[in-house]
Amino acid sequence: QSALTQPRSVSGSPGQSVTISCTGTNSDIGAYYYVSWYQQHPGKAPKLIISYVDKRPSEVPDRFSGSKSGNTASLTISGLQTEDEADYYCCSYAGGSNFGVFGGGTKLTVL
Amino acid sequence: QLRLQESGPGLAKPSETLSLTCTVSGDSISSRSYYWGWIRQPPGEGLEWIGNIQHSGTTFYSASLRSRVTISIDMSRNQFSLTLSSLTSADTAIYYCYFSDGEPFVFDFWGQGTLVTVAS
């Protein structure tokens, strides 16, 4: 059982927006702004797309955005494209030397 | 451009010790205050952070694996390594090496991963 809770799957049509939630506790997401998101295509390594709740690496399209409220973080993908179909994982610092607790992952299907 | 490449045995036996190496190219492993680490993913499942090391040799490990894990660094070979002892089938996973540029809470770039199967 993962430390953070994500929906197993979400879906959307090209051009639409989807939001993936990630629920933790006041010991991880609720306590720190060290929430990151990773995109993983089948058979590939995960790729960082959001760090520090809402910061995007320069090479990541601005269609990807992150936010946090209380113990829940969210990833929003606007203007869905077929290449966005992938698994998405959230991750949070959880104090001490526990640098990364992950969610179970969400499979995004672009219909 | 920084590149990470994992290497090691694809098959290991229960109760034995696994050793994996991550070879870094495109930059010196000691040139900056990076954190170098390992994350694993059982087939079809989610991600689990294992631990990391700085070029100073300071290490941090997941509480659940701390008793079985050692991460070391070899600056002369531009490599860092993972050893995991007392293997069980639950250790079957894709093992990824990664680096964090600055803060240890963000896993900036990952290797392609190597599958390790624990079976007799």
Side-chain angles (χ1 to χ4, degrees):
Chain A
Q1 186 173 355
S2 301
L4 306 179
T5 301
Q6 298 179 236
R8 291 189 67 104
S9 64
V10 297
S11 62
S13 300
Q16 288 186 335
S17 294
V18 295
T19 296
I20 299 172
S21 63
C22 173
T23 302
T25 69
N26 54 18
S27 296
D28 40 61
I29 292 177
Y32 306 100
Y33 275 82
Y34 300 129
V35 177
S36 51
W37 290 88
Y38 301 86
Q39 177 192 61
Q40 185 178 34
H41 287 107
K44 300 294 187 181
K47 172 190 172 185
L48 174 69
I49 56 172
I50 295 286
S51 62
Y52 302 104
V53 175
D54 59 5
K55 302 295 183 286
R56 275 180 300 105
S58 57
E59 68 273 17
V60 174
D62 59 6
R63 303 184 294 102
F64 293 86
S65 62
S67 63
K68 186 185 85 150
S69 178
N71 296 338
T72 298
S74 299
L75 172 71
T76 297
I77 309 171
S78 58
L80 273 177
Q81 300 183 6
T82 55
E83 59 261 36
D84 298 334
E85 188 162 290
D87 292 326
Y88 292 84
Y89 292 90
C90 61
C91 183
S92 175
Y93 176 55
S97 61
N98 200 349
F99 292 140
V101 290
F102 285 94
T106 299
K107 180 176 180 59
L108 168 63
T109 301
V110 181
L111 303 169
Chain B
Q1 184 173 346
L2 197 67
R3 184 169 178 264
L4 307 178
Q5 179 67 59
E6 304 88 349
S7 59
L11 180 65
K13 288 183 165 45
S15 80
E16 293 190 343
T17 295
L18 170 69
S19 292
L20 297 175
T21 296
C22 183
T23 300
V24 179
S25 57
D27 200 354
S28 170
I29 202 168
S30 62
S31 66
R32 302 195 212 185
S33 296
Y34 291 153
Y35 289 81
W36 307 95
W38 294 91
I39 288 169
R40 70 180 184 178
Q41 183 175 34
E45 297 185 25
L47 300 164
E48 180 182 22
W49 181 75
I50 298 172
N52 64 26
I53 188 168
Q54 291 182 282
H55 63 78
S56 63
T58 301
T59 53
F60 298 95
Y61 300 126
S62 162
S64 63
L65 295 171
R66 183 174 293 133
S67 63
R68 299 195 292 130
V69 170
T70 302
I71 297 176
S72 58
I73 196 164
D74 185 342
M75 283 182 274
S76 67
R77 296 188 174 191
N78 229 36
Q79 296 175 334
F80 61 102
S81 299
L82 168 73
T83 61
L84 181 64
S85 63
S86 304
L87 293 172
T88 71
S89 58
D91 296 311
T92 294
I94 299 171
Y95 286 76
Y96 296 99
C97 61
Y98 73 87
F99 86 94
S100 299
D101 183 3
E103 298 281 7
F105 325 111
V106 180
F107 313 126
D108 289 274
F109 188 76
W110 305 47
Q112 66 183 26
T114 186
L115 175 62
V116 176
T117 302
V118 180
S120 55

